[in-house]
Amino acid sequence: MSWNADIRRGSGIATVAVAVWLLASAPALPAARMEATVGDGGARLSLTWDAAVSVASERDGRELTLRFNRPLGDLPLDTVPGRLPGWVENTAFGYDSVLLVLPSGVDAMVVKDGAAVRVDFVRAAAVSRPPADVAAERVAERQAERRLDYFRAVTDLEDGDLHQARARARALVDTDPKDVSSLVLLGNAEERAGRWREALDVYDRALTLAPDEPSLLRSRQTLFREHGDQVRLDVDLFQVEDADTQRIARLSARQDLGGHRSLVALIETRRVDTDQVVRADGRITPFHGWRTRGEVTVAQDWDDGHRTTASLFAAERTLGAGLIHSMRTDIGVTRAGILASEPAYTFVEGIVGAGRRDRAFLQHEFRLGEGWSAMLGGGFSRYGLDDNDDLARSATAEGALRYAVDLGRPVASIGYSLDAEYVIERETRIDPLGNPYAPLPVATREVHSFSLGIDDEIGDVLRYGVQGGYAYDRRNSGGPFAAVTVAYEPLTAVEMGFRASHARSTARGSDAGVNAVGVYFALRN
């Protein structure tokens, strides 16, 4: 049984059938109402909530920005210029903010009254101005239009319209290549679109202008950590209660090949110690020995954010290959893949007896709204050992629903996940004593997990994550699980970390405790 398989089951992680429960339990946001009126010599825009509201206002030339402590909801703010002609020229708005562009000669006063915020518009006194002031106003108008375009791009990004956000942000950068805010916005849009190389280039351009900006350094480092060239060593101790103990060492490397291609290679060796393992012929014997597996993957990133990966697998008397394609849209990613003779290290019988799995799957991740994300997937698997390619067949289903709680720092999330495998058929044999046995103990499971996770940073060099919850296997049993990770990054190119977890093993149809602890060291270039 492998670290990854059990952490994926035991750590719950997040989303699907319990969506209704989470949605129903989320606190309702007060609804807002809008009223726009024009009177003699003035106009008024009123926004009213069902609870007390606070507002911060800022006037910059012809721009009036309002930021509230409550969401705007579905207010038709785009209709304000048409409903207040001559008093408001344009609007831009996001989750909790609105920007009003006023015509020349219009003043505005913001008044808060309990659950309402009122903006009163009046005509400014006419004053004869010299030509220099007129020219300065025209410059201010162009700057106001630019800020309005920036606000629109931010809104597009918040709404998930990545194509429009990238286009607006790129236009802003083209007209002013030294505008750090626009560069950061373009980098965020490229990153969200899956174009990490383009995002990294944009962040590097911004850092030449603002080398000490903390948020920019953090965004750049996160991308570098996830996609940059690196060599990494992982060492883990993995123990299944009353069963096997595994000591695992894994050396991996990631290298950019140019042309939007990258290479990932790994070699893993593990020491397996168990007092009894069922062999293919039915004999039950101890095993104390080593097993090694390797993997090489080439990934091609396409201009539209899609990605294709081709992999080769090698293990004890096993050679396989896989192909996975990811299609990205503004709101999600769809993955489809076929893998043949993938080493089956979920079971100790597979590790010892050259286990392998053929698999086809389809998975879709998508955003549901502010803070919400979900995943659905399914597939089919066929398992085999050294002497037989078709010992068991199963159908799989997976899903997740996660809500990110906006606490600023730390980052918190709650979630539900489904990890299910339904055995369609499994070969049973008779051992030399006349007893039936399954050469590969694939078991039906349906694990529902509920989890709470917290992630944070301490200074610029230390990160940690804590996750806990409860996993219930409807076909077997269940129990609590917990995991903790700590990462120390003293230099941009150096990272080391520690992890530990406790979960329940359900793959064999049991609820044995699984404990794991590990460390890693990574060097990046």
Side-chain angles (χ1 to χ4, degrees):
M1 189 169 305
S2 72
W3 168 291
N4 289 339
D6 279 294
I7 296 306
R8 190 162 52 247
R9 290 187 197 91
S11 294
I13 327 266
T15 319
V16 166
V18 143
V20 175
W21 174 80
L22 284 174
L23 287 168
S25 63
L29 297 174
R33 300 178 297 280
M34 185 185 81
E35 184 179 356
T37 58
V38 178
D40 295 337
R44 175 173 291 175
L45 175 66
S46 297
L47 305 178
T48 306
W49 282 260
D50 292 337
V53 66
S54 63
V55 61
S57 62
E58 180 181 349
R59 181 71 184 268
D60 185 1
R62 294 194 302 128
E63 298 179 2
L64 175 63
T65 302
L66 306 174
R67 296 182 178 86
F68 307 95
N69 69 332
R70 298 192 179 280
L72 293 167
D74 296 327
L75 291 179
L77 290 163
D78 56 329
T79 66
V80 171
R83 298 169 68 174
L84 300 178
W87 300 100
V88 177
E89 280 191 357
N90 213 332
T91 61
F93 47 91
Y95 175 70
D96 58 1
S97 304
V98 59
L99 173 68
L100 304 174
V101 181
L102 311 182
S104 297
V106 172
D107 280 340
M109 182 172 62
V110 180
V111 179
K112 186 182 82 67
D113 182 13
V117 174
R118 188 177 73 245
V119 184
D120 293 328
F121 303 95
V122 296
R123 298 292 180 192
V127 179
S128 177
R129 295 170 297 161
D133 289 348
V134 175
E137 182 174 302
R138 289 174 179 169
V139 172
E141 289 178 353
R142 288 194 294 270
Q143 292 174 341
E145 186 63 28
R146 178 179 177 83
R147 283 193 290 271
L148 186 60
D149 285 340
Y150 176 86
F151 206 110
R152 288 168 178 155
V154 171
T155 303
D156 290 335
L157 192 60
E158 290 176 349
D159 291 342
D161 190 350
L162 301 182
H163 178 76
Q164 185 75 305
R166 287 168 54 207
R168 291 189 193 276
R170 193 176 293 111
L172 289 168
V173 170
D174 289 343
T175 56
D176 186 358
K178 294 185 178 182
D179 182 359
V180 175
S181 296
S182 297
L183 283 167
V184 172
L185 181 61
L186 178 58
N188 291 341
E190 296 285 17
E191 183 177 350
R192 284 271 300 275
R195 295 159 52 89
W196 66 268
R197 291 178 179 84
E198 290 76 4
L200 204 57
D201 289 342
V202 172
Y203 289 148
D204 285 340
R205 289 169 58 188
L207 282 169
T208 62
L209 302 169
D212 298 321
E213 171 58 38
S215 61
L216 189 55
L217 288 168
R218 191 157 41 247
S219 296
R220 203 267 182 199
Q221 182 63 11
T222 299
L223 269 185
F224 182 59
R225 183 185 305 126
E226 293 177 356
H227 301 285
D229 296 348
Q230 75 167 18
V231 176
R232 172 167 166 157
L233 175 65
D234 292 76
V235 179
D236 296 295
L237 174 63
F238 183 86
Q239 189 169 41
V240 181
E241 182 182 10
D242 298 326
D244 53 282
T245 298
Q246 300 180 31
R247 296 167 177 83
I248 308 167
R250 182 185 305 108
L251 181 65
S252 60
R254 184 172 59 213
Q255 177 69 46
D256 190 15
L257 301 177
H260 283 200
R261 284 185 297 273
S262 57
L263 173 71
V264 176
L266 71 84
I267 185 167
E268 173 188 287
T269 183
R270 61 178 68 198
R271 168 77 183 194
V272 181
D273 291 289
T274 180
D275 291 336
Q276 54 182 25
V277 59
V278 179
R279 298 304 184 105
D281 59 5
R283 291 179 300 117
I284 299 177
T285 66
F287 181 83
H288 302 279
W290 297 89
R291 287 292 184 264
T292 302
R293 71 181 183 94
E295 182 177 333
V296 176
T297 298
V298 176
Q300 174 69 58
D301 294 304
W302 308 99
D303 290 339
D304 52 10
H306 297 349
R307 166 176 265 221
T308 303
T309 62
S311 303
L312 290 176
F313 314 112
E316 185 84 8
R317 303 186 302 279
T318 302
L319 186 64
L323 185 67
I324 300 174
H325 183 68
S326 301
M327 298 166 286
R328 184 179 292 272
T329 65
D330 285 351
I331 62 171
V333 180
T334 301
R335 299 182 183 89
I338 298 177
L339 299 96
S341 293
E342 178 187 22
Y345 274 26
T346 303
F347 314 97
V348 69
E349 290 82 2
I351 299 174
V352 174
R356 51 189 171 272
R357 177 175 67 166
D358 302 326
R359 181 164 63 106
F361 71 91
L362 181 65
Q363 184 187 80
H364 182 57
E365 297 179 8
F366 52 99
R367 296 176 60 205
L368 292 174
E370 190 69 29
W372 290 93
S373 60
M375 181 272 288
L376 291 171
F380 292 93
S381 298
R382 185 181 71 166
Y383 294 90
L385 289 173
D386 187 34
D387 65 332
N388 194 322
D389 288 330
D390 194 7
L391 291 175
R393 297 185 182 188
S394 67
T396 58
E398 57 183 338
L401 180 64
R402 179 171 292 276
Y403 178 67
V405 184
D406 186 6
L407 299 177
R409 290 183 60 180
V411 177
S413 63
I414 56 176
Y416 159 82
S417 70
L418 169 69
D419 175 22
E421 182 169 21
Y422 305 96
V423 175
I424 300 172
E425 60 179 305
R426 186 179 69 177
E427 181 175 319
T428 300
R429 297 177 178 177
I430 304 299
D431 68 17
L433 300 177
N435 300 311
Y437 73 96
L440 202 57
V442 183
T444 292
R445 68 178 186 276
E446 186 182 296
V447 184
H448 302 267
S449 301
F450 302 87
S451 64
L452 171 65
I454 296 177
D455 297 273
D456 200 4
E457 298 179 358
I458 301 176
D460 297 327
V461 298
L462 193 64
R463 307 187 312 276
Y464 72 88
V466 179
Q467 186 180 72
Y470 191 89
Y472 171 68
D473 186 349
R474 191 176 68 86
R475 303 298 295 268
N476 300 291
S477 184
F481 63 85
V484 59
T485 61
V486 179
Y488 177 59
E489 210 167 9
L491 301 171
T492 301
V494 177
E495 180 179 335
M496 59 196 75
F498 165 84
R499 56 180 172 256
S501 68
H502 170 77
R504 313 302 296 181
S505 171
T506 58
R508 306 175 186 220
S510 70
D511 63 345
V514 181
N515 296 308
V517 62
V519 295
Y520 69 89
F521 180 79
L523 287 176
R524 302 189 182 96
N525 180 18

